[in-house]
Amino acid sequence: MANSKKKTLTSLPQGKLGIIAMRGTEQFAKQVNDFISQSRKDVQYEHKDLADFDGYQKDSYLIDVDFPRFSTGEGKAVIRETIRGYDLFIISDCFNYSVTYNMYDLRDANGKLIDFPMSPDNHFADLKRVISACAGKARRITVIMPMLYEGRQHKRTMRESLDCALALQELENMGVSNIITFDAHDPRVQNAIRIGFESVSPNYQMIKALAKSVKNDIHFNPDSTMMISPDEGGMGRCVYYSQVLGIELGMFYKRRDYSKTVGGRNPILAHEFLGDNVEGKDVIVVDDMISSGDSMLDVCRQLKSLHAKRIFVFSSFGLFTSGLERFDEAYKNGLFDKIFTTNLIYNPPALLEREWYGLVDMTKYCAFIINTLNHDESVSIFLDPIKKIHDYIDRYHLK
């Protein structure tokens, strides 16, 4: 975000900027903070003596927050500096299982304290605690939750809970003004609330990461490249890529056994491919998340049986809940060439070391969003970056 050319502000900030990093997001939030801090050093403004610009240029916008726990496992949030009048942005990763806590002094057979990994429920409880600790003193609160808590529990197919809608309503009732998420499993869940809700997709960053990874060895045209959706629910993502890049698309239809439930899901009986011939083409499979990976690997296996050339996977969130070994084996057997996921949620060190893995860095993007919202300006360019994608592809093809 640094630029040797000074940028002139056209709007006032909505309040002093403050960023709260929930447990597990400290490194990500620090990088976001550093981008914003450097960017604001390159800004010139005519009325810098106005009270609105008090604290505008700082080295750090991070708020000192602590999350102590009692011996029972109960927790609380403590904000250790003033936030009165601040425009607060709270970054929360509800899926960071590397964050742990101890309770009841429980120990293993060797006498070592047992570290319990925080579940999404624990993280969401901490998020509500820190909002409660604000006690109405902040001017505005925006929650940045890249992977939406309970985002897959967004509709009823039987007598079951509507966890995502209820969670969003809780945040609204606690005084949150805006919720920013990425690639929501079903953005229609925003209908449960009346406050601002934006689901941002990392389309531009994914394309850029792929292009850099394969150098000049991929062609975004209908004769050589194709977009594939692993199921009917993800067709919207593929349609966007297909239209922006001007390439064909296909889809796999999941045939499920609705008579039984395994692991909270109806088991998939088969994937049926609907689309044009993929033989000899590079294929990009797009999904919002990789959970266990069973479904994604089966899609790759079938595409290879249809003689696809290379297979690249775009997934905003790589959970890999059943481990990385099955992906190691699939890569060794040539089922796919590269999997790209973002750093919006926790990525274990072992994943970052994999030859088949490509990291899509979203820190600068989040910094732009926070800085723009702090000035209450439009984020439409982030929601639909068609021009940026076209400009990048044009430059890429000219290399």
Side-chain angles (χ1 to χ4, degrees):
M1 290 176 69
N3 193 325
S4 59
K5 185 178 180 180
K6 291 284 185 178
K7 298 181 283 287
T8 303
L9 288 179
T10 58
S11 61
L12 296 174
Q14 291 301 297
K16 290 183 180 180
L17 174 61
I19 301 173
I20 292 179
M22 300 299 296
R23 293 187 67 192
T25 69
E26 295 88 351
Q27 182 180 355
F28 183 89
K30 183 182 183 306
Q31 290 178 273
V32 169
N33 171 80
D34 291 346
F35 276 122
I36 295 175
S37 177
Q38 185 57 52
S39 172
R40 291 191 170 189
K41 289 176 182 177
D42 297 325
V43 166
Q44 61 183 7
Y45 43 98
E46 184 179 350
H47 306 291
K48 63 180 180 180
D49 295 328
L50 290 176
D52 299 275
F53 287 99
D54 180 33
Y56 187 77
Q57 292 177 319
K58 297 167 62 177
D59 289 331
S60 178
Y61 303 92
L62 296 171
I63 303 297
D64 186 11
V65 180
D66 193 18
F67 298 93
R69 282 191 176 269
F70 300 102
S71 57
T72 57
E74 298 167 289
K76 66 177 180 179
V78 181
I79 301 175
R80 302 195 179 278
E81 59 183 283
T82 182
I83 55 161
R84 186 178 295 275
Y86 273 59
D87 189 13
L88 280 185
F89 291 81
I90 306 174
I91 302 176
S92 174
D93 175 10
C94 288
F95 299 86
N96 191 329
Y97 57 90
S98 72
V99 182
T100 60
Y101 65 97
N102 177 259
M103 57 189 295
Y104 288 96
D105 199 35
L106 293 175
R107 300 173 184 268
D108 61 20
N110 298 318
K112 184 180 178 181
L113 284 171
I114 298 174
D115 292 325
F116 294 94
M118 285 184 65
S119 71
D121 291 345
N122 296 141
H123 282 292
F124 188 69
D126 270 359
L127 173 61
K128 291 189 290 183
R129 289 182 178 115
V130 80
I131 296 171
S132 172
C134 292
K137 300 299 187 292
R139 178 172 297 182
R140 184 173 65 175
I141 297 176
T142 298
V143 170
I144 300 179
M145 187 184 293
M147 186 171 175
L148 204 56
Y149 171 71
E150 292 289 4
R152 287 181 285 181
Q153 191 59 26
H154 60 99
K155 64 180 181 181
R156 283 196 179 110
T157 56
M158 58 182 75
R159 192 171 295 280
E160 56 187 325
S161 58
L162 283 171
D163 299 51
C164 189
L166 290 174
L168 294 178
Q169 288 171 357
E170 279 189 274
L171 296 180
E172 178 184 22
N173 293 334
M174 293 186 76
V176 172
S177 301
N178 298 291
I179 297 173
I180 308 295
T181 190
F182 287 78
D183 214 351
H185 191 68
D186 188 344
R188 290 175 297 182
V189 74
Q190 68 185 286
N191 294 330
I193 54 177
R194 296 162 295 178
I195 59 176
F197 180 99
E198 301 291 355
S199 177
V200 187
S201 296
N203 303 318
Y204 172 71
Q205 288 76 13
M206 286 287 183
I207 292 171
K208 192 174 179 180
L210 171 61
K212 286 185 174 181
S213 175
V214 297
K215 307 298 186 222
N216 295 324
D217 193 29
I218 189 168
H219 304 283
F220 296 102
N221 61 60
D223 296 324
S224 57
T225 308
M226 191 169 178
M227 303 300 305
I228 299 292
S229 175
D231 54 44
E232 61 276 18
M235 271 300 285
R237 300 180 187 90
C238 275
V239 167
Y240 181 89
Y241 279 108
S242 173
Q243 291 181 347
V244 172
L245 297 176
I247 59 180
E248 297 296 324
L249 66 105
M251 180 191 83
F252 278 90
Y253 168 69
K254 287 181 180 177
R255 192 152 51 84
R256 295 180 179 271
D257 182 357
Y258 289 100
S259 66
K260 62 179 72 172
T261 302
V262 178
R265 300 180 300 173
N266 301 111
I268 299 170
L269 298 176
H271 280 102
E272 315 245 347
F273 181 66
L274 306 173
D276 203 357
N277 186 13
V278 302
E279 185 172 356
K281 292 183 179 180
D282 288 328
V283 168
I284 304 172
V285 184
V286 183
D287 207 356
D288 60 330
M289 72 180 74
I290 296 175
S291 186
S292 67
D294 291 338
S295 178
M296 184 61 72
L297 290 179
D298 188 50
V299 165
C300 293
R301 192 174 294 109
Q302 293 207 43
L303 287 171
K304 276 299 179 182
S305 71
L306 295 172
H307 309 293
K309 183 182 176 184
R310 292 180 298 182
I311 298 176
F312 303 102
V313 177
F314 288 176
S315 181
S316 297
F317 310 110
L319 300 173
F320 302 102
T321 57
S322 296
L324 304 173
E325 291 72 20
R326 60 178 61 195
F327 288 89
D328 293 336
E329 187 67 23
Y331 177 69
K332 182 180 177 182
N333 294 333
L335 286 188
F336 66 88
D337 292 82
K338 201 100 175 181
I339 293 177
F340 297 91
T341 74
T342 71
N343 61 342
L344 290 167
I345 63 170
Y346 172 69
N347 292 311
L351 174 63
L352 304 179
E353 296 169 357
R354 268 18 189 215
E355 182 183 3
W356 47 263
Y357 177 70
L359 179 69
V360 181
D361 186 5
M362 298 294 292
T363 50
K364 188 174 182 179
Y365 198 48
C366 283
F368 272 120
I369 291 173
I370 290 174
N371 207 29
T372 301
L373 288 175
N374 181 232
H375 284 268
D376 216 21
E377 294 182 344
S378 172
V379 293
S380 59
I381 188 174
F382 306 112
L383 302 179
D384 195 8
I386 292 179
K387 187 178 186 306
K388 287 187 70 176
I389 294 174
H390 283 166
D391 290 346
Y392 183 82
I393 294 300
D394 290 342
R395 294 196 303 271
Y396 175 79
H397 283 155
L398 288 174
K399 290 181 181 178

